[in-house]
Amino acid sequence: MLNVYNAKLGVDYLGVKLEELMKLPSLQGATVVAGKRALEKEIMSLSFLEACDMSQLRRNVLKPDEYFLGELDITSLYTIKDDPEKQCELIKGMHDLGVVGIIVYYVGVFVPRLDDSFLQTANEINFAIIQMPVNDTNIRFNEAVTEISQMLFEYRNSEFEPLIMRKLSEVPKWSQTIETALKMLADALNSNVVITNGRNEIEYSARWPRNSELNLAESINGTEKICDGSIFSVELGEKNNNEWAEDRYDLWLVKERGQLTDKQLQQAKDIVENVLDIWGTSSLHVTYYSLIWGILNNESDRSRRVASKFGIDIKKINVMWIVSINSIGDFKEVIDNLDEYLKECYEEVVIDHIDDHIVVMCGGYKRDKAENNVCNEWLDGDFAKKQIETVVYCPKMNELADFGRSYRLVIMHRLALRKVFPNLRFFSLVKCEYVVKIARGLEDDSNTSSNLLGFLKPVKKNEELMHTLCTYLLDAQRDLQKTSELLFVHRNTVKYRLKRISEILGCDLSIYDECFAYYLACIAYRLIN
């Protein structure tokens, strides 16, 4: 990964290391019980984890582009206090989001003890688990919060540029965007951060606080006054011969309360210019990536503005594909191949690489063949057979918000989708929704499991019949020949087994209405097993 920090600064200026925070009086009774190597990592922010169920956080709170690099969280694990498996899922999920570790309060009071599997997982991923004194009800969150926040605040008010540049060098490649830099800058300055083009239109922004309702456009144009705050602006790259500086871009810091110093303004300018120098024009210039990301985040104004620059009629876009490539796949080759194929089928096509997959958005279908066959036709081609692992097909995206909801649904539950359908390459959004609905039911209600699996009770003890039933309903989609191929048995053997299953269950598996309940039950069975 490109080391932005060394390339631009050439100094060894570190942030607030976790081991330094451990010396604070409020943490002197605490013990690092796992992930001790993380003590060398720098902390940029402090937060609370009140809701600790990772699946619910992904479903209800986290956005697709969230990344909390250098964050330290405080929690009691109360909502998952009796579930070590969910505790492991939590720290793995938070680790993937850039969190360094957690401080666990009230062990012995809420959580009986920190499970060995929990600690082992933390050690494996180098995630710090700091345990406050056991069975101590006299300790309070606010003691550590006050001291840690003050230490972070003092650092941010001095030299925050080296820390942000270092952290930016560590973010995953897919997060190396101007938006990531602006979010870190907004958190460091407690200020809204905006980049405008030569027409004074907002190209990128990061809000602070995140739920700020301030009209940034009107604030910048002077039509909305900020009573207790301040607005600063500076032209980017005016003294450099940068490729990206051929067009005018301005950096704005809109602070809703308080003032910023000249030194803070200069550091903010240096950070943005350094990022643009190293990550290049793609991090600032309008790209398909920025259009897709705007649509996924339901940013209608930005999406329309970016789409107009490409001459794209955004109103026509109503279909999305989420494409995962295999280990030998090449993103550029796949994007080029998809672009050539889909432009023969649709009037509008937007494709780019996001995270570890490819997102396709298209609309204005112009072929005579049924539209729902376009994806399968491409998957059956020689090129896709070699490079593509799966495609999730999301049609009828009638509202802009539908894209983001569907995207998050697929990305957050794709592991469950593969667990239920390990032999499929094509998934409809409906299929994904079935899996998610059942998975949520299993998480939230123990009766869901017993009710669904109750359908399968007569055949569950017979492993051969159970495997045949799941393969027939889930993998082969009720195709006898496909089932026989997947099971490596003769077609007549499959027919015999299905006849036995039908007799045992008292239903006709060839009739959709009768077998649908068993289809859902098989999904639950695979999720659990």
Side-chain angles (χ1 to χ4, degrees):
M1 185 177 292
L2 179 65
N3 194 324
V4 177
Y5 172 73
N6 289 335
K8 296 304 298 182
L9 300 173
V11 296
D12 190 24
Y13 196 106
L14 300 181
V16 183
K17 285 188 175 181
L18 182 55
E19 63 180 354
E20 293 298 317
L21 294 180
M22 291 300 297
K23 298 175 184 177
L24 293 171
S26 58
L27 296 179
Q28 283 185 359
T31 307
V32 182
V33 293
K36 293 183 179 180
R37 287 183 293 129
L39 289 171
E40 290 292 317
K41 294 185 177 182
E42 298 97 355
I43 303 301
M44 289 185 67
S45 60
L46 181 70
S47 188
F48 287 96
L49 267 180
E50 184 177 3
C52 298
D53 189 318
M54 198 64 205
S55 61
Q56 291 186 4
L57 283 171
R58 287 195 180 104
R59 186 162 71 238
N60 301 318
V61 179
L62 299 174
K63 296 181 179 179
D65 62 338
E66 290 286 16
Y67 201 72
F68 307 107
L69 196 64
E71 183 173 283
L72 179 66
D73 290 338
I74 291 179
T75 182
S76 67
L77 299 174
Y78 180 75
T79 59
I80 53 173
K81 60 186 176 68
D82 300 315
D83 195 333
E85 186 176 343
K86 286 196 173 181
Q87 293 169 16
C88 293
E89 289 176 3
L90 173 70
I91 60 172
K92 285 191 286 188
M94 299 313 291
H95 173 266
D96 290 343
L97 291 170
V99 176
V100 173
I102 58 174
I103 303 175
V104 185
Y105 276 69
Y106 306 125
V107 176
V109 180
F110 295 141
V111 180
R113 58 181 288 274
L114 297 181
D115 192 81
D116 291 342
S117 63
F118 178 66
L119 301 179
Q120 181 181 343
T121 299
N123 282 323
E124 289 172 355
I125 62 176
N126 191 24
F127 187 86
I129 305 295
I130 302 167
Q131 179 179 277
M132 295 300 283
V134 178
N135 293 317
D136 191 342
T137 57
N138 293 317
I139 53 177
R140 293 291 181 269
F141 287 169
N142 72 301
E143 296 164 350
V145 170
T146 301
E147 284 199 316
I148 295 173
S149 298
Q150 183 176 355
M151 195 168 184
L152 293 175
F153 182 77
E154 289 172 356
Y155 179 77
R156 283 196 311 219
N157 273 347
S158 56
E159 298 288 342
F160 60 83
E161 180 185 354
L163 176 59
I164 289 181
M165 293 305 296
R166 182 182 180 88
K167 289 301 181 184
L168 285 170
S169 74
E170 298 171 0
V171 301
K173 187 173 180 61
W174 56 266
S175 279
Q176 291 184 357
T177 65
I178 192 66
E179 288 102 330
T180 302
L182 296 189
K183 284 179 182 178
M184 288 189 184
L185 194 52
D187 288 340
L189 296 175
N190 294 353
S191 170
N192 297 284
V193 183
V194 179
I195 290 180
T196 58
N197 58 28
R199 295 177 299 282
N200 216 32
E201 298 169 334
I202 294 177
E203 291 282 355
Y204 296 100
S205 65
R207 291 181 175 272
W208 197 95
R210 294 285 179 88
N211 64 345
S212 170
E213 296 181 354
L214 185 68
N215 189 318
L216 294 175
E218 291 185 1
S219 298
I220 289 171
N221 293 325
T223 54
E224 180 173 318
K225 303 297 182 183
I226 306 176
C227 296
D228 299 320
S230 52
I231 300 178
F232 303 86
S233 69
V234 60
E235 184 177 351
L236 295 170
E238 75 273 16
K239 296 180 181 179
N240 303 324
N241 293 319
N242 312 77
E243 178 188 349
W244 56 267
E246 292 177 2
D247 300 320
R248 176 177 177 128
Y249 293 99
D250 290 303
L251 172 67
W252 297 78
L253 301 175
V254 184
K255 194 169 177 66
E256 296 186 37
R257 188 175 183 84
Q259 301 289 316
L260 294 172
T261 65
D262 290 341
K263 185 176 182 180
Q264 288 174 319
L265 182 60
Q266 184 61 47
Q267 288 186 82
K269 179 177 183 290
D270 290 345
I271 287 170
V272 175
E273 290 184 340
N274 286 342
V275 167
L276 296 175
D277 283 343
I278 295 167
W279 288 348
T281 59
S282 62
S283 64
L284 181 59
H285 285 170
V286 174
T287 62
Y288 277 172
Y289 179 96
S290 60
L291 174 55
I292 290 173
W293 213 234
I295 293 173
L296 292 179
N297 285 293
N298 197 23
E299 298 174 355
S300 56
D301 292 341
R302 174 184 168 188
S303 299
R304 280 195 294 269
R305 189 173 67 250
V306 174
S308 67
K309 292 183 179 182
F310 288 110
I312 291 173
D313 185 352
I314 198 173
K315 293 180 180 178
K316 289 184 178 180
I317 294 178
N318 62 353
V319 175
M320 177 170 65
W321 297 11
I322 301 171
V323 183
S324 298
I325 68 174
N326 57 33
S327 57
I328 65 168
D330 180 273
F331 281 107
K332 186 178 185 306
E333 286 183 14
V334 174
I335 289 174
D336 290 344
N337 184 274
L338 268 170
D339 188 63
E340 181 181 356
Y341 173 75
L342 287 173
K343 280 182 176 174
E344 296 179 358
C345 307
Y346 292 93
E347 295 176 12
E348 308 292 358
V349 178
V350 180
I351 311 173
D352 212 334
H353 168 205
I354 293 183
D355 299 356
D356 58 349
H357 50 273
I358 293 168
V359 175
V360 178
M361 294 182 179
C362 46
Y365 187 63
K366 57 185 183 181
R367 288 173 62 177
D368 293 331
K369 297 180 181 178
E371 185 177 2
N372 56 3
N373 291 329
V374 170
C375 188
N376 276 315
E377 183 181 296
W378 180 73
L379 273 175
D380 289 338
D382 292 338
F383 177 86
K385 283 181 179 178
K386 292 178 181 177
Q387 300 214 32
I388 304 305
E389 186 173 283
T390 61
V391 176
V392 179
Y393 175 69
C394 309
K396 306 302 180 186
M397 302 283 103
N398 297 318
E399 303 289 339
L400 199 67
D402 294 340
F403 288 94
R405 279 195 295 266
S406 301
Y407 177 82
R408 286 187 286 274
L409 189 80
V410 172
I411 297 305
M412 292 175 186
H413 297 90
R414 56 182 171 171
L415 293 180
L417 200 61
R418 294 299 293 153
K419 187 175 182 180
V420 174
F421 302 104
N423 296 301
L424 295 187
R425 297 173 67 228
F426 172 84
F427 299 92
S428 65
L429 180 61
V430 171
K431 197 179 292 288
C432 183
E433 288 171 339
Y434 280 138
V435 172
V436 172
K437 186 174 182 179
I438 293 171
R440 288 175 178 173
L442 295 175
E443 290 172 0
D444 302 335
D445 182 8
S446 59
N447 290 330
T448 301
S449 174
S450 58
N451 290 341
L452 281 172
L453 295 182
F455 287 108
L456 303 175
K457 191 174 181 180
V459 294
K460 216 165 73 168
K461 292 182 181 179
N462 189 317
E463 188 174 331
E464 182 181 80
L465 295 183
M466 192 66 231
H467 183 45
T468 300
L469 180 62
C470 287
T471 303
Y472 175 70
L473 293 179
L474 302 181
D475 301 325
Q477 301 177 81
R478 296 169 57 235
D479 184 307
L480 282 175
Q481 184 59 36
K482 184 68 175 175
T483 306
S484 69
E485 292 171 3
L486 291 171
L487 294 176
F488 300 101
V489 297
H490 194 275
R491 179 187 173 97
N492 289 338
T493 303
V494 174
K495 290 176 70 176
Y496 170 73
R497 290 182 186 175
L498 292 177
K499 185 172 181 293
R500 282 189 60 197
I501 294 170
S502 294
E503 290 171 351
I504 294 171
L505 296 178
C507 76
D508 187 344
L509 293 175
S510 65
I511 300 175
Y512 177 78
D513 290 347
E514 293 194 28
C515 71
F516 183 67
Y518 297 99
Y519 171 83
L520 299 179
C522 285
I523 291 176
Y525 177 82
R526 279 195 173 168
L527 285 171
I528 292 171
N529 292 280

